Amino acid sequence: MENKANGISEDLELPKISYGNVGLDNILGGGIDPERMYLFEGQPGSGKTTLALEFLLEGVRRGEPTLYITLSETERELRLVAKRHGWSLRGITIFELIPPETSLDPSQELTVLHPAEMELSETTQMIFARVEALSPARIVVDSLSELRLLAQSPLRYRRQILALKHFFSGRKSTVVLLDDLSSQQNDLQLHSIAHGVVLLEQLAIDYGAQRRRLRVVKMRGIDFKGGFHDFTIKQGGLKVYPRLVAAEHHKDFRNEVVPSGNSELDSLLGGGLERGTNALLIGSAGVGKSSLALTYAIAGAARQERSVIFAFDEGRGTMSARASTLGLPLEDGINKGLIDIKQIDPAEMAPGEFASAVRESVEAGNASIVIIDSLNGYLNSMPDERFLILQMHELLSYLSQCGILTILVLAQHGMVGPMDTPLDISYLADGVILLRYFEFDGSVRRALSVVEKRSGSQENTIREFKLSNKGITVGPPLKGFSGIFSGTPVYKGEAAPLMHRDCDDRG
Ligand SMILES: Nc1ncnc2c1ncn2[C@@H]1O[C@H](COP(=O)(O)OP(=O)(O)OP(=O)(O)O)[C@@H](O)[C@H]1O
Ligand SMILES: [Mg+2]
């Protein structure tokens, strides 16, 4: 509690300080209030120590005295963790308060033998003494669980926490308390004492790497970004991916068509696909969805426009090989830096990390065409289909507001006949292009149709298309057939409008 003599108004005006983690600072709208007490809670292994070290390292960067009070991990363990992250702990005072064998200091050894209450107050007294001697600007207490154990009763524990709070409030220290959530009940009292609370979580999913996420539970006086934010721990520390909020982003862009480089296709699309919209390409495996998506990137590169392809299903090698059989100059676009293929392993990448990669391509990489190939792969990176729809909704709104043409690829199960769509996302799409195999007179052919387009007027016809070393060729509307999308059409007309099959035909 501030007293008048310290000057309340002065206290109120203290500018926020950087926590020491870019993502967390972003979620908190710039940083945290100094000289307050914060609580970081999370199960063992959730990343508390790592995040706490980043807080102190920021203090060191600012030339502040910093103190790490550890009741759980030994100094050696801490140093090892820091070393693995490539951090030097020089400038951070580590105060190891772990009782029995590890401590050789007789005064500390005594504390083990004392009755619990003595031991607890001695521990806090030692903390106080150390803080008074050092006057650190940033303090970490790792962790409260040990204090809770020493206290034995919730009442005594609470009294100690209040004593800690009281002690720190008179000092110019910003304090981060860690708690590993080992107490059975949710510690709301602790929450009410802290100025801010951040929860760290680690989730095991059925397949692939564990998912980490954090949530700011409370932060007094700060309009923080609510909800869960994915994060990863990699060498070098915590990388937090602030949740994408589409409404926060907007770019001015021209309302114009993005040519595909194929006039037949553009006319089928009623002029073409527009900037700031998305198109969903649906069809069976191998029917030509990725090739169709690729033509947009190639045509973009010819206009010096940048595209990014998020490849969930195929490697760059497969993609290049296909492009060269189709006579599409993909390598050329890549070499000129106009086409960027980002291979994504959905088992390893959290959705938040993916969204952040998309943002980076758009904001730093200046991409104006984004291709996600395929949503089936993206779905695998999600714990739940519901999340995909929600996240896709946010991502697509974001891309739309930035004037990006987004092409989504979705594979259906089945080849001809009844098809099964694994994910109903068509209502999020501005346009849906359906690609189908059909069989006619003993050969397999391909057809495409625009079944939905929100802006402009598309053709309601079905056209045959071919993949050859000349890329994608779209034929005239298929008139006189019925049941093309059933896979086995019946021809009812007089002159067959099907395309000639030449030796280059890959169909
Ligand atoms: N150098 C590193 N590179 C990548 N990941 C690392 C590295 N060092 C630690 N980690 C990850 O960080 C996790 C532990 O983080 P941390 O020690 O901060 O958790 P904690 O919440 O403090 O755990 P505890 O409750 O056990 O103290 C480990 O599970 C490990 O996967
Ligand atoms: Mg720890």
Side-chain angles (χ1 to χ4, degrees):
M1 230 164 276
E2 301 89 7
N3 65 45
K4 280 247 156 44
N6 286 345
I8 287 177
S9 57
E10 231 173 73
D11 265 354
L12 283 175
E13 277 173 26
L14 282 180
K16 287 206 273 191
I17 53 170
S18 161
Y19 174 85
N21 179 290
V22 181
L24 188 58
D25 280 345
N26 175 297
I27 290 167
L28 296 174
I32 55 174
D33 286 319
E35 300 179 20
R36 294 285 176 273
M37 201 163 92
Y38 299 90
L39 171 68
F40 285 15
E41 49 183 25
Q43 306 276 342
S46 56
K48 301 179 296 297
T49 300
T50 316
L51 193 57
L53 282 172
E54 292 189 8
F55 169 65
L56 297 188
L57 287 169
E58 174 67 16
V60 172
R61 273 191 289 275
R62 291 160 177 262
E64 302 166 347
T66 56
L67 175 63
Y68 197 105
I69 301 164
T70 173
L71 298 140
S72 56
E73 284 168 65
T74 62
E75 178 166 352
R76 280 189 67 183
E77 283 174 304
L78 269 179
R79 291 203 181 277
L80 179 70
V81 170
K83 190 165 170 246
R84 294 268 159 82
H85 280 296
W87 296 333
S88 152
L89 295 186
R90 197 172 305 143
I92 298 179
T93 307
I94 299 175
F95 182 31
E96 194 185 300
L97 255 177
I98 304 169
E101 321 79 55
T102 47
S103 170
L104 294 173
D105 179 351
S107 70
Q108 288 185 24
E109 220 165 61
L110 262 184
T111 67
V112 197
L113 309 169
H114 277 277
E117 183 142 24
M118 273 291 278
E119 202 179 314
L120 174 67
S121 55
E122 273 193 22
T123 306
T124 39
Q125 286 311 320
M126 277 196 273
I127 294 177
F128 292 170
R130 197 59 190 253
V131 169
E132 287 200 313
L134 195 70
S135 292
R138 295 182 184 226
I139 303 172
V140 169
V141 180
D142 184 3
S143 72
L144 294 182
S145 324
E146 282 70 22
L147 286 183
R148 192 184 283 118
L149 272 179
L150 287 177
Q152 290 180 333
S153 93
L155 185 66
R156 238 182 297 154
Y157 170 64
R158 178 159 166 83
R159 231 188 274 141
Q160 290 302 315
I161 296 294
L162 278 171
L164 272 181
K165 161 135 179 156
H166 190 72
F167 172 78
F168 286 128
S169 68
R171 250 143 267 275
K172 300 210 171 297
S173 308
T174 312
V175 184
V176 169
L177 306 174
L178 306 185
D179 185 29
D180 70 8
L181 295 173
S182 54
S183 86
Q184 293 307 310
Q185 66 271 54
N186 198 353
D187 204 337
L188 289 178
Q189 293 179 330
L190 199 50
H191 281 203
S192 70
I193 290 170
H195 191 72
V197 179
V198 176
L199 172 70
L200 304 179
E201 278 189 4
Q202 182 174 212
L203 316 167
I205 55 170
D206 289 345
Y207 178 74
Q210 78 277 34
R211 291 288 141 74
R212 300 178 188 276
R213 56 183 198 174
L214 65 79
R215 183 167 75 89
V216 179
V217 180
K218 80 166 207 185
M219 196 58 66
R220 287 188 185 138
I222 291 183
D223 183 19
F224 58 86
K225 209 176 265 181
F228 283 105
H229 309 275
D230 289 329
F231 71 92
T232 50
I233 303 182
K234 294 185 179 151
Q235 202 200 350
L238 248 83
K239 191 129 180 44
V240 184
Y241 308 100
R243 192 165 54 81
L244 179 65
V245 180
E248 292 173 358
H249 304 269
H250 186 79
K251 237 162 73 178
D252 287 327
F253 61 92
R254 266 173 299 156
N255 263 328
E256 59 179 12
V257 154
V258 181
S260 64
N262 183 321
S263 56
E264 293 289 317
L265 179 63
D266 287 345
S267 81
L268 177 67
L269 286 160
L273 298 174
E274 290 103 13
R275 291 193 198 284
T277 68
N278 66 70
L280 176 65
L281 310 185
I282 311 187
S284 341
V287 72
K289 302 177 299 298
S290 302
S291 310
L292 187 59
L294 202 54
T295 55
Y296 278 90
I298 302 287
R303 300 186 303 269
Q304 301 300 310
E305 254 185 71
R306 287 173 200 273
S307 309
V308 56
I309 303 174
F310 290 95
F312 283 88
D313 306 338
E314 316 175 305
R316 187 180 148 169
T318 320
M319 223 173 245
S320 292
R322 188 189 30 235
S324 76
T325 44
L326 289 170
L328 299 174
L330 176 63
E331 284 301 320
D332 194 39
I334 294 173
N335 294 338
K336 285 185 179 143
L338 294 166
I339 300 178
D340 185 11
I341 298 180
K342 293 203 185 294
Q343 209 171 319
I344 309 281
D345 180 353
E348 296 302 320
M349 194 180 248
E353 189 175 358
F354 174 66
S356 137
V358 172
R359 270 192 68 182
E360 197 180 302
S361 294
V362 168
E363 289 163 30
N366 255 324
S368 60
I369 299 171
V370 170
I371 298 171
I372 299 177
D373 189 358
S374 67
L375 284 179
N376 310 66
Y378 189 42
L379 182 58
N380 293 337
S381 71
M382 298 276 173
D384 189 326
E385 185 175 317
R386 247 174 343 123
F387 289 128
L388 179 126
I389 305 270
L390 291 173
Q391 230 206 355
M392 219 48 212
H393 179 74
E394 207 65 30
L395 190 61
L396 291 176
S397 321
Y398 162 78
L399 289 167
S400 159
Q401 289 175 71
C402 293
I404 307 296
L405 169 64
T406 309
I407 299 178
L408 308 167
V409 171
L410 180 65
Q412 288 179 303
H413 306 308
M415 287 288 171
V416 286
M419 304 284 278
D420 181 24
T421 311
L423 174 75
D424 188 13
I425 199 154
S426 56
Y427 71 96
L428 287 184
D430 297 317
V432 178
I433 303 176
L434 201 59
L435 291 84
R436 289 296 300 263
Y437 286 113
F438 69 99
E439 180 239 308
F440 189 77
D441 198 19
S443 66
V444 175
R445 292 164 177 270
R446 294 169 159 99
L448 122 171
S449 175
V450 181
V451 289
E452 182 203 322
K453 191 159 175 281
R454 240 168 245 168
S455 52
S457 54
Q458 81 275 17
E459 253 180 47
N460 291 314
T461 58
I462 298 175
R463 292 185 183 226
E464 191 185 3
F465 75 97
K466 269 193 328 190
L467 301 174
S468 69
N469 62 1
K470 294 180 196 74
I472 291 188
T473 329
V474 178
L478 290 173
K479 289 201 176 111
F481 286 92
S482 70
I484 287 191
F485 282 175
S486 71
T488 46
V490 180
Y491 180 58
K492 292 177 175 159
E494 281 163 12
L498 290 172
M499 299 164 87
H500 287 294
R501 301 175 65 85
D502 54 50
C503 50
D504 288 328
D505 190 351
R506 310 279 148 195

